[in-house]
Amino acid sequence: ALPAQWLVTSRPEGKRCLVMSSRGNTTARLRSGKIMTSFQSALPNGGAGTRGGRGGQDYSILDCVFVEQLGVFFVGDVMCWKGHSVYDCTAEFRLFWLQQKLAEDAPQAGVVVPGSNPYAFVPLPWYVADAAGLESAYSSVAVPFTRDGLLFMHRESHYEVGLTPLALTWKDQQCSTYLSESYPGVDPAVQVACLHVSESGALSTVDEPPVVVATAPPEAMAGVKTNHLSLALFAVQGISLTYPEVAMSEVPDGAPVVAIESVQFVAAAANKRAEGDSLSKILFQQALRSQPLSIQDLAAAAVVPMA
């Protein structure tokens, strides 16, 4: 059941970024690595007036969502605090550590102070993923931001840079403004995936290792345009997976084989697009258009069976 292994929170609608405080300065970087903003903060060593200030060697790294309208960094995870790395600690410990350390070492970081802390840092409220926790994250507990789905994190997971099946996002029409992706000039009912295009015509996901979803024949490659990272948009339909045959008690090992009924080039991806879609995102977008996973389905999985 979900409660035994998973935690859940409301995901803010905003810009995902990594915030690092070090040597008297604080920098927020987008997922692409581009600097979003640099400023003084009340995080440890994040400003000239903090303990250690510009002379300190320690640094902290936070995983945040920045909501510009509120001027708030909502903190969802921590990788390092005052030089202490917690990448290899469990999610349950990291989230406890984050709450404690923000309160103990940087209480002023939660309050906007022009000049010395222009943006507030507010930890997201995490709940056990039982029926009550799901309801709190989904709708019953008021939050200051617009929800963009729910974020699930496995209790025992370590922090992974990039994709991991132990940190998952779920959305529906009630808790997300941007449920299904759409592109100018393309029917919203048509699913569009962003894929990497190799010189041989292989169309693959951003997963590690990449999953090849289709291969464009040589005669079709001339009409395929990409951005500077070889990413392009394709209309896709009828995606299915098959795994190597294993015993019922075993877990399939390795990447699945993907079959796809139709894939058509749409356009080059925007130059600001830094990575393609993951297979899980493509499958989620397909499910939204055919058989979406509802909040009722999640609530049923959150029920702890009686012994």
Side-chain angles (χ1 to χ4, degrees), residues 9-261:
T9 190
S10 306
R11 186 185 185 280
E13 183 181 299
K15 295 180 179 178
R16 173 89 178 274
C17 58
L18 294 183
V19 175
M20 181 175 180
S21 62
S22 175
R23 299 179 182 273
N25 193 53
T26 303
T27 301
R29 291 181 180 271
L30 299 173
R31 293 168 63 185
S32 63
K34 181 181 178 181
I35 294 179
M36 185 176 74
T37 184
S38 187
F39 55 97
Q40 300 279 291
S41 81
L43 294 174
N45 287 20
T50 59
R51 187 175 181 179
R54 291 191 172 90
Q57 300 299 312
D58 292 341
Y59 60 93
S60 300
I61 307 176
L62 305 177
D63 190 333
C64 304
V65 175
F66 179 61
V67 180
E68 188 173 3
Q69 301 91 322
L70 302 177
V72 175
F73 286 92
F74 288 96
V75 189
D77 208 339
V78 57
M79 295 96 93
C80 187
W81 187 265
K82 294 176 67 174
H84 298 284
S85 174
V86 290
Y87 281 91
D88 293 333
C89 297
T90 66
E92 201 157 27
F93 173 81
R94 294 197 312 274
L95 298 176
F96 168 78
W97 178 272
L98 172 64
Q99 296 274 353
Q100 290 292 106
K101 293 304 178 182
L102 276 174
E104 293 173 2
D105 297 340
Q108 303 88 352
V111 181
V112 172
V113 179
S116 61
N117 197 68
Y119 307 108
F121 289 85
V122 178
L124 289 173
W126 286 89
Y127 307 95
V128 174
D130 56 15
L134 280 174
E135 182 62 24
S136 297
Y138 183 66
S139 62
S140 67
V141 174
V143 291
F145 50 77
T146 300
R147 285 182 171 90
D148 187 23
L150 303 184
L151 178 61
F152 291 85
M153 193 180 302
H154 195 282
R155 289 172 179 262
E156 301 298 319
S157 63
H158 295 175
Y159 189 92
E160 296 284 345
V161 177
L163 294 171
T164 169
L166 302 180
L168 303 170
T169 301
W170 172 89
K171 303 179 180 183
D172 71 0
Q173 290 184 331
Q174 181 170 327
C175 70
S176 178
T177 305
Y178 305 102
L179 181 58
S180 59
E181 293 188 335
S182 59
Y183 295 87
V186 180
D187 185 344
V190 175
Q191 181 181 351
V192 175
C194 182
L195 301 170
H196 180 269
V197 183
S198 72
E199 292 183 358
S200 63
L203 311 180
S204 59
T205 66
V206 72
D207 300 277
E208 187 58 46
V211 177
V212 176
V213 301
T215 301
E219 61 270 18
M221 284 298 294
V224 174
K225 308 299 181 184
T226 68
N227 71 359
H228 66 293
L229 295 176
S230 299
L231 298 175
L233 304 178
F234 295 87
V236 296
Q237 186 177 7
I239 305 165
S240 60
L241 307 181
T242 56
Y243 291 88
E245 291 188 10
V246 296
M248 292 292 290
S249 60
E250 297 179 3
V251 176
D253 186 23
V257 176
V258 180
I260 187 165
E261 294 178 3

